[in-house]
Amino acid sequence: MIRGIVRAFDERLGTARMTREVLNKVFPDHWSFLLGEVILYCFIILVATGVYLTLFFDASQQEVLYAGSYVPLQGVQMSRAYASALDITFSVRSGLVVRQVHHWAALLFAASMVTHLLRTFFTAAFRKPRELNWAVGVTLLMLAMVNGFTGYSLVDDQLSGTGLRIGYSIVLSIPFVGPWLSSLLLGGEFPGADIISRLFVLHVMIVPSIITLLLVVHMVILVRQKHTQFPGRGRREGNIIGLRLWPTYAMKAVGVFFLTGAVLALMGGLIQINPIWMFGPFRAADVSSASQPDWYVGWLEGALRLMPAWELRASPFEVPNPFYPSLVLAGGVFLVLYAWPWMEARLTRDHEIHHLLDRPSERPVRTPIGLAAISFFAVLFVAGGDDVIAVWLDMSVNTMVRILQLLAIVLPIVVFLVSRSAIRLRLRKQQEKAEPFCPRVGHSRWEARTLAALVLVFVWFTVTSLSSPSPHVLPETWTAKANAGMSGAQMYEAACAQCHGQNLEGVFGPAIGAGTDSEDMSDTLIQAVVFAGIGKMPPMPGVLTEIQVQEVIAFIRQLQGIG
Amino acid sequence: MPNPRVPRVAFGVTILSGIGLLVVYGTGGQPQLEGLLWFYALAGLGVGIIVGANNYLPNEESEEERHPLASSEEMLAAARADFHRADGGDEALDAERRSLLRLLAGAFAAIGVAVVFPIRSLGPHPSDDLRETDFAKGVRLVTVDGAPVKSGQLGVGELLTVFPEGHTRAGDSPTLLIRYDEEEFLPAGGRASWVTDGMVAYSKICTHAACAVGLYQNVTGLLLCPCHQSTFDVNNACTPTFGPATRPLPQLPIAIDSEGFVVAQSDYPEPVGPGYWDRMNNV
Ligand code: FES
């Protein structure tokens, strides 16, 4: 039977030769080559979960009164988009799990892309003839970020609205055409009449189609050019050694696919992500404090925060501040990424074809540059949560920002110098073993100068931050809503009633009325719980001040007395 | 002889978890259990298949030769010749062909430019929208529920988020009405008449990246934007004192109408919110 079908195809398409070629393709057996595969598996899972969500999501900005099963938001005015996202979460079978798996898969998708890119960079797999595939990969990374952002924004809750608004400001800062572009994108001034439906088309059709196309291109090029491999016994530029695709490697790949799915299912089921019901519908006049974007845009968020308040003005024109940390930085980063293979070939005058990989520990320039870049992004990433970290460290946000600004400049240079010396030392030791010692000189002057420059930067920063007139802001001292002077009852309503109920009866959180454990808890203990969070309860510093918490506690005590 | 125990157990786990999933779904579903069972089901498959493949399938390395990707010179030359098949020979014909090709390019360009124009329907001309809010002379300031604000409603150090009457959902209109501390407050030059009854109004939309400037510390008179920590000094024309914002929050001139309600004297004198390159062009 099967033989008959195979023959029928072969008679019409001549498929046997192609099949043999594919089944016999050799895959190098090194764990780091799996990173690329995980990207593909994440994408498959994203499409599968995404299709399911699409069936229930309603990409409309029409305002409705929510009447779904989530009690605290019943009767609240919101867009149909947000209402349907709540329905997916609370009413659709498996909806919450599928939504969370989708979100986790998106994070893993981006993460495996970045690690795959790092692997390719540090082992120099991007060199001729693979520059084109490198460029395709960089484009895929960019598209993954775009699609992550559009997906995050679709839900139309307070958090996604805030992110969208920052994105809108970045579009506005594009030279001269910014206002036009943003108006065309949103269908008018922010929030715009059509933004959700347009994001939806981008998120479920346009960007995924391009991603699919480019993934195919990436793999076709890969098959045509064959894999790279690490140098080793028997491995030459002219051959490739590893497992043939069929049957062992294919089976293992399928296994890895299921393992990826298993991990994502576990995360989607057990680890809460983006609890949209806690944020409420988007209102332009509100803001959710301590909001964090998804990790792959965290570095941009950090850059926005660390950017000094520079603004060029030449009346009537001005360069808005977000222009530098978003468009210039992100544009620069991707430009360098795209250009890297060609740049390196030019600088090293190496235009040869390479199929054997470099060992990162033996490259005294490329590896330090990569590590320095990683450290730079790490600082930006940390800066994206500087307010939260400042609360942890009990430090003023201002000091935190100054320190991180300094680190963003200094750390990459230090990382570069240290890792370069380490690699050189290693290489020299290897060389000494192989051949008699020949001393190398010449670089110490340059290094000394760099260090001197670093010291100067340090001094400058200390002087400017000491003389900076800015007040030192401790986040806890800020009142929650701009409506200062809210009573304990109002604040309870705003911050606590969602979970503990209007009358302490408990909804998603436990009841805290008369006769419960909470009645026996001391005020100090309750205050500690409010600030630190417990179990599913989020920590509240930055939301309520100490005095406010005391007022809320007083209100709760009053209710407990009545009960 | 390969050891079959691991793959057997693994596939068994998958079967059991599958049955478990059926039960969970049948009884109405439970997110944590679903996640856990899916994990066991898929992990069983993954582990079983990988270990099974390692045990039962050939695992020896193979070698494949690489063939140069680049084509030979002859091949390149042949391809070039194929491509230029129509060239050469009659010079007059070549010239005519060339001019026809140019015309063809013009035809495509004409269509290309024409199809750009429908895109214009995606959104209105932006500049007026960005410059204007719904505030105007005599428009009352109302709270989010639509209640107009009376003079004297705010105690010293208190503030209220207000909107132009009838537009409480507009994205560019949220405004902060603040009862300032008379001893600390310095009205900006030329703006002494923009405040009324100890109240001053500033746009709530951050000049950095348009977040709502939501946090207020009345002791110091500072407003803080929670997005990137820009800090604005209420007592000093809302000039930024920290963070990435470079411009003060625009001030709305306010007055009291005959019935004692707070009203705007006019729209904001400059565009509110984040900057763009020609923001100050013909304001
Ligand atoms: S939006 Fe206010 S500081 Fe960035």
Side-chain angles (χ1 to χ4, degrees), chain A residues 90-102:
Chain A
F90 293 108
S91 309
V92 172
R93 273 156 220 268
S94 261
L96 174 62
V97 178
V98 173
R99 214 198 79 219
Q100 296 197 138
V101 170
H102 192 69

Side-chain angles (χ1 to χ4, degrees), chain A residues 248 250-256 258, chain B residues 7 10-11 42-55 57:
Chain A
T248 320
M251 281 301 147
K252 286 193 197 169
V254 171
V256 174
F258 286 126
Chain B
F11 291 145
L42 295 174
L45 278 183
V47 171
I49 291 177
I50 292 176
V51 176
N54 268 337
N55 280 341
L57 295 173

Side-chain angles (χ1 to χ4, degrees), chain B residues 165-265:
Chain B
E165 190 161 24
H167 299 277
T168 51
R169 298 297 297 276
D172 56 1
S173 301
T175 297
L176 290 167
L177 186 65
I178 306 167
R179 176 81 183 269
Y180 53 79
D181 184 345
E182 317 256 350
E183 281 170 20
E184 304 285 331
F185 189 77
L186 285 170
R191 295 199 199 159
S193 64
W194 289 20
V195 297
T196 184
D197 275 12
M199 290 180 292
V200 61
Y202 296 108
S203 165
K204 197 179 177 180
I205 306 301
C206 188
T207 54
H208 176 235
C211 283
V213 181
L215 305 174
Y216 181 51
Q217 194 176 38
N218 55 14
V219 197
T220 51
L222 291 176
L223 283 166
L224 176 83
C225 179
C227 282
H228 316 104
Q229 289 103 31
S230 286
T231 312
F232 301 91
D233 185 356
V234 167
N235 293 322
N236 194 7
C238 258
T239 41
T241 57
F242 183 76
T246 53
R247 276 179 294 115
L249 296 170
Q251 186 179 348
L252 182 75
I254 50 171
I256 305 289
D257 71 3
S258 54
E259 288 168 63
F261 292 113
V262 186
V263 293
Q265 290 184 29

Side-chain angles (χ1 to χ4, degrees), chain A residues 24-26 29 63 77 93-94 96-97 129-130 162 165-166 168-169 172-176 179-180 183-191 194 198 224-229 234-244 247-248 251-252 254-256 258-259 261-263 265-266 269-270 282-291 301 304-305 307-311 313 316-323 353 355 386-387 397-398 401-402 470-471 473-474 477-485 542, chain B residues 25-26 28-47 49-51 53-54 57-70 119-133 144 157-163 168-176 204-218 220 222-229 231 240-248 272-282:
Chain A
N24 287 337
K25 179 174 164 45
V26 168
D29 209 6
E63 295 275 320
Q77 205 183 14
R93 273 156 220 268
S94 261
L96 174 62
V97 178
R130 293 183 178 76
T162 304
R165 194 146 202 190
I166 296 173
Y168 155 80
S169 307
L172 263 191
S173 76
I174 298 173
F176 303 108
W180 258 113
S183 174
L184 295 181
L185 272 173
L186 309 182
E189 191 185 15
F190 186 88
D194 305 315
R198 291 194 183 157
R224 178 91 186 100
Q225 294 181 332
K226 300 199 165 88
H227 273 83
T228 51
Q229 62 186 350
R235 289 160 201 218
R236 298 172 281 113
E237 287 282 356
N239 72 351
I240 166 139
I241 289 181
L243 277 181
R244 293 204 184 277
T248 320
M251 281 301 147
K252 286 193 197 169
V254 171
V256 174
F258 286 126
L259 286 184
V263 170
L266 190 68
L270 298 188
F282 176 65
R283 298 271 184 273
D286 293 345
V287 71
S288 45
S289 58
S291 55
E301 167 81 7
L304 280 169
R305 292 182 185 208
M307 183 69 204
W310 298 338
E311 188 162 290
R313 284 204 191 92
F317 302 122
E318 63 190 36
V319 185
N321 182 276
F323 177 70
I353 292 223
H355 296 299
D386 58 1
D387 47 346
V397 176
N398 306 45
V401 167
R402 300 302 288 181
S470 65
V473 183
L474 268 175
T477 60
W478 294 88
T479 50
K481 304 268 163 178
N483 296 332
Chain B
Y25 283 135
Q30 206 283 339
Q32 279 85 3
L33 266 183
E34 285 169 30
L36 211 61
L37 287 172
W38 270 112
F39 169 74
Y40 283 122
L42 295 174
L45 278 183
V47 171
I49 291 177
I50 292 176
V51 176
N54 268 337
L57 295 173
N59 227 346
E60 72 269 6
E61 295 201 314
S62 305
E63 180 173 1
E64 194 180 9
E65 285 299 310
R66 284 181 205 279
H67 307 290
L69 290 159
I119 291 177
R120 173 67 181 75
S121 317
L122 284 174
H125 192 289
S127 60
D128 295 343
D129 271 359
L130 289 175
R131 215 163 283 144
E132 291 162 5
T133 72
V144 70
E158 290 185 351
L159 85 171
L160 208 53
T161 302
V162 293
F163 306 83
T168 51
R169 298 297 297 276
D172 56 1
S173 301
T175 297
L176 290 167
K204 197 179 177 180
I205 306 301
C206 188
T207 54
H208 176 235
C211 283
V213 181
L215 305 174
Y216 181 51
Q217 194 176 38
N218 55 14
T220 51
L222 291 176
L223 283 166
L224 176 83
C225 179
C227 282
H228 316 104
Q229 289 103 31
T231 312
T241 57
F242 183 76
T246 53
R247 276 179 294 115
V272 300
Y276 45 98
W277 287 55
D278 53 350
R279 192 179 66 95
M280 292 313 282
N281 213 0
N282 55 49

Side-chain angles (χ1 to χ4, degrees), chain A residues 189-204:
Chain A
E189 191 185 15
F190 186 88
D194 305 315
I195 179 65
I196 297 293
S197 49
R198 291 194 183 157
L199 287 175
F200 186 63
V201 173
L202 278 174
H203 182 75
V204 305

Side-chain angles (χ1 to χ4, degrees), chain A residues 9 16 46 71 82 112 162 175 235 238 292 320 405 420-421 548:
Chain A
F9 265 96
L46 278 169
V71 182
Y82 183 50
S112 45
T162 304
R235 289 160 201 218
Q292 304 295 308
Q405 282 175 333
R420 198 181 56 156
S421 311
Q548 286 181 315

Side-chain angles (χ1 to χ4, degrees), chain A residues 525-541:
Chain A
L525 188 54
I526 294 182
Q527 183 173 328
V529 168
V530 170
F531 278 130
I534 187 169
K536 271 198 267 174
M537 178 165 163
M540 299 274 184

